[in-house]
Amino acid sequence: MDANKNKSSFHQLKRRYAALLAVLIIGGTACAALLTLASPAKKTQPQDVQLPLVSSTPLVPIDHQTTLSLSGILKPAEQTDVAFELSGKIAWLNEAFIEGGIINKGDILARLDPFDYHTQLLNKQAELALAQAHLSEQIALADVAKKEWAHSPHVTELALRKPQVASARAQLKAAEAQLAQAEKDLARTQYYAPYDALVTQRDTGLGQVISAGQSLGRLVNLSYAELHVPVAQFERPFLPVLPVPNVKITAENVHRTGTLVRHTGQLSDTTRMAYYVIRVDDPYALHSAMPAVYFGQFLQAQVAGITLKNVLRVPQEWIKNDTFWLTSPQQRLVQYSANILRQEHNYIVLSAPPLSDHQVVTHLPDYPQTGMQVRNNLTHTQLAVKGEKQ
């Protein structure tokens, strides 16, 4: 009985092991089939890194001639208060001798009544004739005395009438001087314009009796004018040696030229600016076909300054916090401190860095960093040609 029970347990255990073995065989076969049917895994390919894109232009140092933009008010360079040196009555006035009138050099502005001075001239002519006659008389008497005293060993100069002759000569010279003075006074009854002039003031009228030195009016010189322009202290080092010719002067559609001639020697109390003077010849265009400019008119001037050697002239937006970016030959970003020399309009002039194999970045990526690898979209922007005047 026990033998049959043990035999039955053995068979059950044997069947369990056989079933487990079958399951393992089937599972292994299925795994092998799956591995065989499955496609081989693709190898992972490294992805290409997209480098930041920049734009740049060649770094080309230039010689740049600076330009100073100045402005000021046109003023008279010279003015004269008109006055006679004599007293008398105004007998005639030039029609142009009114405020705003233009007088040419040598034109008569006014005349005094010449009667008194003409009469004085005739009197001095008569006195001169008497002095000449008196001298002739004394010379004749001296000749007679010389003959009378020819054999006398002791004769005085008085006896020979030498003092009388000398006195007559002196009287003649005095008469000649008085006649010259009378002629001059008669000529001074007419006042001639000393230069081409604009009448800015008249203080007399026809028939008015004036005293010597009394003002008749005021003239300003139209031969040339002066444009007084302030120059900031930081701009003065860029001025060349004076005088500076061919200064371009503009006002609306008017174009003229002038010469920067001098410094006034003064600084403004408020702005501390220095004042310079630009000479403008024939401002009212009396002797040329150029357009006229007028006293009190606001004018702008462009002065050619000194030439800066080995510099860059770049747009202002390329400079940030006094630095700008370059790309090295290895296409890496390089940040460079800018030595800014001056600013002209929307451009910056700075010392060129000693990196001729680098390029100036005109367009940066969003977050630039020194040493960042970039790819360059080289532009064809030309900074300037060496020696070009900007």
Side-chain angles (χ1 to χ4, degrees), residues 67-368:
T67 301
L68 284 77
S69 298
L70 308 175
S71 59
I73 304 296
L74 190 68
K75 299 180 179 180
E78 182 179 13
Q79 63 182 21
T80 302
D81 289 331
V82 178
F84 279 108
E85 299 178 62
L86 310 171
S87 59
K89 183 174 69 174
I90 302 295
W92 180 85
L93 290 173
N94 192 318
E95 293 181 354
F97 187 34
I98 57 175
E99 186 174 351
I102 293 179
I103 304 293
N104 294 320
K105 181 179 180 180
D107 286 353
I108 298 176
L109 293 179
R111 289 195 187 101
L112 291 176
D113 186 350
F115 178 79
D116 293 342
Y117 298 99
H118 184 67
T119 301
Q120 186 178 8
L121 175 63
L122 294 177
N123 185 38
K124 297 304 178 182
Q125 287 175 343
E127 290 179 359
L128 176 63
L130 290 175
Q132 289 173 337
H134 180 65
L135 176 61
S136 298
E137 180 183 1
Q138 292 299 325
I139 291 175
L141 292 174
D143 289 341
V144 172
K146 184 176 181 181
K147 291 178 182 180
E148 290 178 350
W149 295 93
H151 302 289
S152 177
H154 302 288
V155 60
T156 63
E157 291 185 351
L158 183 62
L160 295 177
R161 303 191 67 82
K162 289 184 179 181
Q164 292 86 336
V165 172
S167 176
R169 290 185 188 280
Q171 292 176 8
L172 178 61
K173 287 184 178 180
E176 289 174 344
Q178 291 174 0
L179 176 61
Q181 183 64 49
E183 291 174 343
K184 188 68 173 178
D185 288 344
L186 182 60
R188 285 171 175 168
T189 60
Q190 300 186 124
Y191 192 99
Y192 296 88
Y195 40 67
D196 294 335
L198 172 69
V199 181
T200 60
Q201 182 179 331
R202 198 181 88 172
D203 301 324
T204 190
L206 191 63
Q208 181 175 349
V209 178
I210 62 169
S211 58
Q214 181 177 336
S215 175
L216 305 180
R218 179 171 296 174
L219 306 178
V220 296
N221 195 343
L222 291 182
S223 301
Y224 67 100
E226 293 181 342
L227 181 64
H228 290 241
V229 293
V231 179
Q233 292 296 328
F234 63 84
E235 291 276 39
R236 293 183 68 186
F238 301 101
L239 283 173
V241 178
L242 302 182
V244 182
N246 300 321
V247 175
K248 296 180 181 179
I249 298 173
T250 58
E252 298 177 353
N253 295 325
V254 176
H255 299 276
R256 296 289 297 267
T257 58
T259 303
L260 184 65
V261 290
R262 72 180 189 276
H263 176 221
T264 62
Q266 301 180 35
L267 299 179
S268 171
D269 293 336
T270 55
T271 64
R272 308 309 300 165
M273 286 189 173
Y275 279 85
Y276 285 78
V277 176
I278 299 174
R279 174 177 172 138
V280 182
D281 292 326
D282 192 17
Y284 279 51
L286 300 182
H287 306 290
S288 69
M290 297 182 296
V293 289
Y294 302 99
F295 297 129
Q297 187 172 3
F298 182 81
L299 302 175
Q300 295 178 331
Q302 297 289 325
V303 179
I306 63 173
T307 299
L308 299 176
K309 304 288 186 178
N310 195 38
V311 298
L312 298 180
R313 182 176 181 269
V314 301
Q316 187 174 358
E317 59 267 20
W318 293 4
I319 308 298
K320 303 294 183 182
N321 299 323
D322 292 340
T323 62
F324 65 105
W325 292 85
L326 305 173
T327 56
S328 68
Q330 294 77 29
Q331 297 300 298
R332 293 187 180 276
L333 289 181
V334 177
Q335 192 173 22
Y336 196 87
S337 296
N339 180 20
I340 297 177
L341 302 177
R342 65 182 279 104
Q343 180 177 347
E344 293 181 352
H345 305 294
N346 295 325
Y347 286 86
I348 298 292
V349 180
L350 53 107
S351 299
L355 303 169
S356 58
D357 55 348
H358 286 53
Q359 295 179 5
V360 181
V361 177
T362 61
H363 180 73
L364 283 167
D366 291 336
Y367 302 101

